């Protein structure tokens, strides 16, 4: 049997496992609809009082939040295939409780949230939305997590740490075509070459299954994807590990934020609510429960600098 044919069979096997196995199955993550260990908080007077008198919620007394169930650990369907669970839904629940409101989660396709928000279908979007200067023209933002990509390698890899461009010189790195991480790594490679080091070799695959096969087979050294996705895969597969993180706004920080309608007045109250969660420790507990402590912010900001237009 040829090597190429063997690789095809291996890819087919991995793909079959990924398709047939429950997408939510992974040790260490509670993806039950009941969520018995969900973090709960008390109402915060200052945050609730910061809601403008003229603001009208979609449903009185309820915080209506759109979320895209794109995958664990951020947001996915629970084992009952209908309840949305994950880090973002739990954070939305804590924000609602801080404001003294009930929570209604509205599952939406990622592409649909901007129109739904501007048309008033929901009060906010909590779905891993990154702050960008272009989005700030239409929306307000209250930050709640760092926007991070992760460097992950095979568990037995000789690569120990990737912090700066020189650490990646000469490595074969899997990255998505047209992504922000590809743009950053191309700049890293240019810096390495200018410093007399080897360039980074970027590799592109059609899907996660092909990428993971390439990593495990030794055809690639590193995979770079949004950090949360790889955290879940590492817990599920037990054969990859993190060796570094990369800010989505490298060399600057880029944050993920609650998104609200421009000028609605709700953003400051949501930033206050997040800062209350940070101070009382609930914020750290939520991130730790979903293995995302590396993405913790020291404080929430309203409409901070975002990714520039490219």
């Amino acid at each position: 049997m040829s090597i190429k044919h063997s690789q095809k069979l291996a890819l087919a096997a991995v793909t079959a496992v990924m398709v047939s196995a429950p997408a939510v199955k992974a040790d260490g993550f509670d993806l039950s609809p009941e969520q018995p260990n969900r973090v709960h908080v008390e109402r915060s007077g200052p945050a609730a009082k910061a809601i403008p008198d003229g603001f009208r919620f979609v449903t009185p007394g309820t915080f209506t939040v759109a979320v895209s169930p794109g995958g664990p650990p951020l947001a996915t369907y629970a084992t009952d295939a209908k309840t949305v669970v994950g880090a973002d839904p739990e954070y939305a629940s804590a924000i609602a409780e801080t404001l003294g409101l009930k929570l209604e989660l509205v599952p939406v396709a990622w592409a649909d949230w901007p129109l739904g928000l501007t048309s008033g279908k929901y009060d906010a979007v909590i779905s891993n939305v990154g702050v960008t200067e272009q989005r700030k023209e239409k929306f307000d933002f209250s930050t709640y997590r760092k926007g991070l990509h992760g460097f992950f390698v095979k568990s037995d890899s000789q690569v120990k740490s990737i912090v700066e461009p020189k650490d990646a010189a000469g490595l074969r790195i899997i990255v998505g075509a047209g992504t922000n991480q590809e743009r950053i790594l191309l700049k890293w490679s240019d810096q390495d070459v200018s410093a007399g080091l080897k360039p980074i070799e970027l590799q592109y695959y059609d899907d996660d299954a092909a990428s993971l096969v390439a990593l495990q087979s030794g055809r690639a050294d590193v995979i770079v994807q949004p950090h949360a996705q790889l955290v879940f895969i590492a817990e599920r597969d037990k054969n990859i590990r993190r060796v570094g993180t990369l800010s989505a706004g490298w060399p600057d920080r880029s944050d993920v934020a609650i998104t609200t309608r421009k000028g609605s007045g709700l953003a400051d109250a949501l930033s206050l609510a997040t800062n209350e969660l940070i101070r009382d420790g609930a914020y750290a507990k939520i991130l730790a429960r979903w293995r995302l402590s590396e993405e913790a912010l020291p404080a929430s900001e309203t409409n901070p600098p975002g990714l520039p237009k490219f």
Side-chain angles (χ1 to χ4, degrees):
M1 183 182 296
S2 69
I3 293 176
K4 184 175 182 180
H5 185 55
S6 297
Q7 289 173 345
K8 286 183 177 180
L9 288 177
L11 174 57
V14 171
T15 302
V17 170
M18 292 183 72
V19 170
S20 61
V24 296
K25 184 175 178 59
D27 295 339
F29 287 96
D30 173 18
L31 297 172
S32 68
E34 296 82 11
Q35 293 292 292
N37 296 316
R38 171 169 281 178
V39 175
H40 292 284
V41 299
E42 299 296 327
R43 180 179 182 272
S44 166
K49 290 178 181 178
I51 299 171
D53 291 337
F55 184 83
R56 296 292 177 264
F57 288 96
V58 172
T59 300
T62 299
F63 188 36
T64 303
V65 176
V67 60
S68 177
L74 295 181
T76 189
Y77 286 104
T79 50
D80 65 355
K82 62 181 181 180
T83 304
V84 181
V85 299
D88 280 345
E90 181 160 346
Y91 173 72
S93 173
I95 289 292
E97 290 176 350
T98 300
L99 297 176
L101 302 168
K102 297 178 181 178
L103 174 67
E104 180 179 355
L105 285 178
V106 181
V108 299
W110 172 262
D112 293 341
W113 72 257
L115 180 59
L117 183 58
T118 54
S119 64
K121 289 185 177 180
Y122 21 86
D123 304 308
V125 177
I126 300 181
S127 195
N128 203 43
V129 179
V131 182
T132 71
E133 289 303 307
Q134 185 170 5
R135 287 174 180 160
K136 281 169 62 179
E137 294 174 359
K138 295 183 178 181
F139 305 104
D140 285 331
F141 292 96
S142 308
T143 59
Y144 68 99
R145 278 202 340 266
K146 294 178 184 177
L148 291 183
H149 304 305
F151 291 106
F152 279 66
V153 299
K154 284 178 61 177
S155 295
D156 60 356
S157 171
Q158 296 303 304
V159 178
K160 301 302 181 185
S161 176
I162 299 177
V163 177
E164 54 186 326
K166 68 180 180 64
D167 300 330
L171 295 180
R172 300 165 298 170
I173 300 182
I174 299 169
V175 70
T179 61
N180 191 46
Q181 53 265 36
E182 179 197 33
R183 178 187 61 81
I184 294 170
L185 289 176
L186 287 171
K187 290 185 177 180
W188 277 32
S189 187
D190 289 343
Q191 288 190 20
D192 286 337
V193 172
S194 296
L197 302 173
K198 292 182 179 179
I200 298 171
E201 178 188 322
L202 298 185
Q203 296 185 4
Y204 305 90
Y205 295 91
D206 292 334
D207 52 39
D208 282 348
S211 297
L212 293 172
V213 167
L215 189 65
Q216 291 302 320
S217 68
R219 286 182 282 130
D221 302 306
V222 185
I223 184 170
V224 176
Q225 283 185 7
H227 175 254
Q229 294 176 4
L230 291 172
V231 165
F232 181 82
I233 291 171
E235 187 72 27
R236 181 193 67 192
D237 296 350
K238 309 295 186 184
N239 59 8
I240 63 172
R241 58 180 172 82
R242 181 178 53 234
V243 293
T245 57
L246 173 68
S247 171
W250 181 90
D252 300 315
R253 196 179 81 196
S254 176
D255 295 338
V256 170
I258 307 174
T259 311
T260 50
R261 290 184 295 279
K262 189 74 177 178
S264 69
L266 193 57
D268 284 338
L270 296 176
S271 295
L272 281 173
T274 296
N275 284 323
E276 180 64 27
L277 294 175
I278 292 172
R279 283 192 296 271
D280 70 14
Y283 173 81
K285 291 178 182 177
I286 292 170
L287 292 184
R289 212 167 83 79
W290 297 100
R291 308 293 193 272
L292 298 176
S293 296
E294 290 78 14
E295 301 188 9
L297 288 175
S300 175
E301 298 178 78
T302 300
N303 291 328
L307 286 176
K309 298 179 182 178
F310 295 108

